[in-house]
Amino acid sequence: MTKLVLLTGLLIACGGPATPPPAPPSAPRTAAAPAARSPAAGESRPSARASLYDRLGGKPAIAAVTGELLDRVAADARIKYRFLNTDLGKLKASLIEFVCMATGGPCKYTGQDMETSHAGMELVDDEFTALVEDLAGALDKFKVPAREKAELLGALGPLQPAIVTPPGRLKPVDDAAIAKTTAVAVKLGDENAIELMQAAIVAARRGQRNYADLLFSHVEAIVGAAAIAAAAPTFRDGAPPRIETPLRRMPKDTPPQPRLAGASDDDDPDPRRPASLTGTLTVAGRPLDGLGTVMLFPVKGGGKPRRPKLRVVEQRDKTFAPHVLAVPPGSTVAFPNFDGIYHDVFSISPIKKFDVGLYKDGETRELKFEKPGIVRLGCNIHARMSAYIVVVDAPHYVVVDGARPFAFRSLAPGRYKLRAWSERSAQPTETEIVIRPGANTAALDVDGDAAPGPGEDKFGMTRQAIEPPRAR
């Protein structure tokens, strides 16, 4: 049954990172999207012990029915706009790979798991029903035998609670705002824009705030923001401020950014001083699994102010890089998207709330970060994406990479306030440390109390993992 949930997630969430599911048994009782044929006259029926992959006709049959299913979904007004931001060729290849593996075939699945697929998608009953009906139609077209069809569709029904967002977690837009937006929609002249706006209104009425905003953003791209500005509050109220500065382009052959960036010794080197500090950072007594930062402030004040920087946080392969970036106040950060699909970078962190909007293919916007603190970045389309910009007003700072030692190479002896943080921590930990001439060492420990799972979306709604399906 888990495999069927995952299939639904693959179809709607449109592929993702490599997280293979458990290997299937040789003859699974549940499977996904089979394409089979009835035995011809005089042809022996497959053994009941044969794998479902063999009973359904192997990979060519699976490929055929998968293509039919995607064609039906892409033409279904109830669900087709879930594919606006999808590479359909990659999705089809991923689905074929998954179904082949799930039915006992000789394939290895490298797509995303169910939790990643559904986090924050706000799917509703109508969309689930549309998918099931499209699957049934694809199976019927290829004359899948009744046993296999019933096996698949009969298992999908109980999965609905694992796929659909409970109504109480949705936030429907009020009728007055819907009416105002409908009045804007009827004045549009572009047929594609009209259809997208109508879908956005339906999503807003249901309370699918993220999906509605995504659709509205596509309408803006067609007709221009000014033409539908009166409707923007319907879709954007409650979200962080939208950044509307002109888009720039960065060369698509720009080298990938590193996983972490930011160290005062490298960003703005000091003259050699008579002390140094090396150390390790742990989380609740355990090695750090992730990234963190360490900052040093002279207790008596002073220290060389660090100059603002121009830095980059890119989106590439559905991942932010650097994952943690440390910059002084006043620094400017560019957010280029080097993927062929849209991302929507945002932050609802108190020190810097923003939404850079939709763009792709090397386009970028820049933003200045003035206030010290930790800014958590997210993508409003891809819940698994996250990164951190740590705006540091300390004269000495460094980003820590897991259990590897960190180092400050040039320090003046004296007493320092030390502030340490990790991405597993809700807040930094502060202590004091005395730096003596020569080499110093420190073993630092921070709390591991950060909330697990995807962060909130830009409307402040928790993008929690969907509950696993109930056993039958």
Side-chain angles (χ1 to χ4, degrees), residues 257-263 267 281 288-295 311-314 319-327 333 373-377 386-392 397-402 421-425:
Q257 295 295 307
R259 182 167 173 259
L260 73 166
D267 291 346
L281 184 63
L288 171 61
D289 175 21
L291 303 180
T293 58
V294 176
M295 293 167 267
R311 292 289 186 252
V312 171
V313 174
E314 69 178 14
T319 303
F320 286 119
H323 184 66
V324 173
L325 169 68
V327 293
V333 180
I374 299 169
V375 180
R376 188 185 193 280
L377 305 178
S386 67
Y388 300 87
I389 296 175
V390 185
V391 186
V392 295
Y397 58 89
V398 67
V399 177
V400 185
D401 187 358
W421 168 85
S422 86
E423 60 179 306
R424 313 301 180 204
S425 310

Side-chain angles (χ1 to χ4, degrees), residues 303-316:
K304 180 181 178 181
R306 300 301 175 178
R307 293 174 294 181
K309 306 298 178 187
L310 177 61
R311 292 289 186 252
V312 171
V313 174
E314 69 178 14
Q315 302 119 70
R316 192 188 297 266

Side-chain angles (χ1 to χ4, degrees), residues 6-23:
L6 181 54
L7 171 64
T8 310
L10 278 168
L11 285 166
I12 299 176
C14 308
T19 311

